[in-house]
């Protein structure tokens, strides 16, 4: 969008004037970059998590394991693990390199969000249910 339309006179803020490329594969609902910014995990409405590689501008991995819309994705600090939460009541921990499911946790309702602790070796996973007033957590052993 043109900065003149937004009422900004300065163009030195670094906003792009044009879209360079598109990521096309499914309908993305949520997304998160890895720590380096080279990979983007996109949770889709069909239950897949698609990992885009910005170096090659292509799909690096497709993680299939959920049967409902992905509500959140979160990377581990080292970028080797990914966690996905879904409306199917499950939180899945993924090995990104092998595209393997490491662990799956079923909760008592649809999951709105899930994340890993950024520093601990024994990774606590916090999960926020959609219809519950309490935060759930499990400790996933690496």
């Amino acid at each position: 969008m043109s900065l003149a339309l937004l009422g900004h006179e300065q163009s030195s803020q670094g906003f792009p004037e044009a879209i360079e490329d598109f990521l096309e594969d499914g309908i993305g609902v949520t997304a998160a970059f890895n720590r380096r910014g080279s990979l983007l995990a996109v949770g889709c409405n069909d239950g897949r998590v698609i990992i885009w590689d910005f170096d090659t501008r292509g799909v690096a991995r497709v993680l299939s394991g959920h049967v409902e819309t992905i509500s959140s994705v979160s990377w581990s600090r080292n970028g080797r693990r990914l966690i996905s939460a879904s409306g199917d009541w499950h939180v899945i921990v993924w090995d990104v390199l092998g595209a393997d499911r490491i662990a799956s946790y079923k909760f008592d309702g649809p999951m709105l969000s899930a994340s890993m602790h950024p520093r601990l070796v024994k990774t606590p996973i916090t999960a926020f249910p959609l219809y519950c007033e309490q935060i759930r957590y499990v400790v996933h052993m690496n």
Side-chain angles (χ1 to χ4, degrees):
M1 177 177 265
S2 175
L3 290 176
L5 293 176
L6 294 174
H8 296 279
E9 302 301 324
Q10 299 176 355
S11 62
S12 63
Q13 294 181 359
F15 295 115
E17 287 293 324
I19 297 172
E20 291 183 24
D21 207 350
F22 293 94
L23 305 176
E24 297 181 29
D25 193 347
I27 298 172
V29 178
T30 184
F33 279 102
N34 68 343
R35 196 167 172 206
R36 289 184 44 223
S38 58
L39 299 174
L40 177 68
V42 178
C44 297
N45 69 336
D46 60 2
R48 296 179 302 153
V49 176
I50 299 171
I51 300 177
W52 289 91
D53 185 339
F54 274 76
D55 293 335
T56 64
R57 294 187 181 235
V59 175
R61 298 280 185 272
V62 176
L63 308 174
S64 299
H66 291 286
V67 294
E68 293 288 334
T69 302
I70 303 294
S71 55
S72 75
V73 290
S74 175
W75 291 90
S76 65
R77 182 174 172 88
N78 62 12
R80 295 180 188 153
R81 305 278 189 261
L82 184 77
I83 187 171
S84 59
S86 173
D88 64 5
W89 302 19
H90 286 87
V91 171
I92 299 177
V93 180
W94 301 94
D95 172 40
V96 175
L97 292 176
D100 297 320
R101 182 189 310 204
I102 296 172
S104 180
Y105 303 101
K106 184 174 181 181
F107 291 88
D108 56 356
M111 301 311 298
L112 181 62
S113 175
S115 61
M116 293 186 210
H117 191 280
R119 297 198 186 269
L120 296 179
V121 175
K122 294 179 181 178
T123 308
I125 297 170
T126 58
F128 298 89
L130 187 58
Y131 302 114
C132 191
E133 296 176 2
Q134 296 177 340
I135 297 172
R136 306 283 194 249
Y137 75 94
V138 294
V139 177
H140 170 70
M141 308 297 277
N142 285 340

